[in-house]
Amino acid sequence: MAARLVAGDACEPSLLEHAGALAADLVVAVTGADEGNLVISLLAKRRFSVPRVTARVNEADNTWLFDSHWGVDVVVPIAAPLISLIEEATEATDTVALLRLSKAGVAVIETAITSQSRASGRTLGEMRLPEGTIVATVVRNGQPTVPDPSVLLRPGDELLLVSHSATEQEIHAAFQ
């Protein structure tokens, strides 16, 4: 399985189609806007018949919307607990599995770039990711960014990766 990065508005059906939604086994909607995540989920499930759709809820009051009616199979917890989990976990290690979505067969793994990391000073496009792994976002100064291949990784960056096969150790080896 190969992962492709396509930058743009994933709420546009043509972009999802260009990104390969017609052949996708899984779509993960992790934008910073609940409306966007719901639209992406609904398009993935209904228009492209993607078997598994995972979506992040950003606002706790919107959690009730993230269900099968909107095409969501697995809900990723709201940002505040996820950020707390990241902060807690990264005090002990630089790479950690944050969430295992057993029904979807994927894990969400976080790794932090330090000045000693092999990835520091390299672009995302230069990194060799383990098979079946994509970068969902790069968090810099508390702000998530689109994981474009030209993004230069710097100490302090936190990467959230989604993988159906890589282990924490493989992610660690790729970036640290």
Side-chain angles (χ1 to χ4, degrees):
M1 179 182 127
R4 277 188 8 195
L5 175 66
V6 177
D9 183 354
C11 293
E12 292 292 328
S14 60
L15 183 95
L16 285 174
E17 186 171 349
H18 177 67
L22 285 168
D25 296 320
L26 170 70
V27 166
V28 181
V30 291
T31 75
D34 288 343
E35 303 85 14
N37 291 340
L38 287 170
V39 169
I40 294 164
S41 298
L42 190 62
L43 285 169
K45 186 63 80 171
R46 302 260 169 87
R47 182 159 183 176
F48 298 105
S49 301
V50 176
R52 302 294 297 164
V53 176
T54 300
R56 181 175 75 183
V57 179
N58 295 286
E59 298 292 330
D61 292 345
N62 295 336
T63 303
W64 66 275
L65 289 166
F66 286 72
D67 63 14
S68 61
H69 291 99
W70 280 95
V72 178
D73 297 306
V74 179
V75 179
V76 176
I78 60 175
L82 185 58
I83 295 302
S84 298
L85 184 57
I86 291 169
E87 289 171 349
E88 180 181 315
T90 56
E91 288 178 10
T93 183
D94 50 28
T95 305
V96 63
L98 297 175
L99 184 63
R100 297 191 197 288
L101 305 171
S102 58
K103 288 185 180 179
V106 299
V108 177
I109 301 170
E110 189 266 352
T111 192
I113 305 301
T114 67
S115 57
Q116 288 79 36
S117 299
R118 80 173 72 227
S120 182
R122 296 175 68 189
T123 65
L124 273 178
E126 294 176 280
M127 304 306 303
R128 292 183 52 100
L129 298 177
E131 178 88 20
T133 303
I134 61 169
V135 177
T137 190
V138 176
V139 179
R140 181 172 289 155
N141 298 322
Q143 296 297 314
T145 61
V146 175
D148 184 272
S150 66
V151 170
L152 185 67
L153 297 173
R154 302 189 302 213
D157 288 350
E158 296 175 339
L159 283 72
L160 288 181
L161 301 103
V162 178
S163 181
H164 73 79
S165 59
T167 64
E168 293 168 60
Q169 293 78 18
E170 290 170 315
I171 298 295
H172 179 83
F175 289 94
Q176 303 305 322

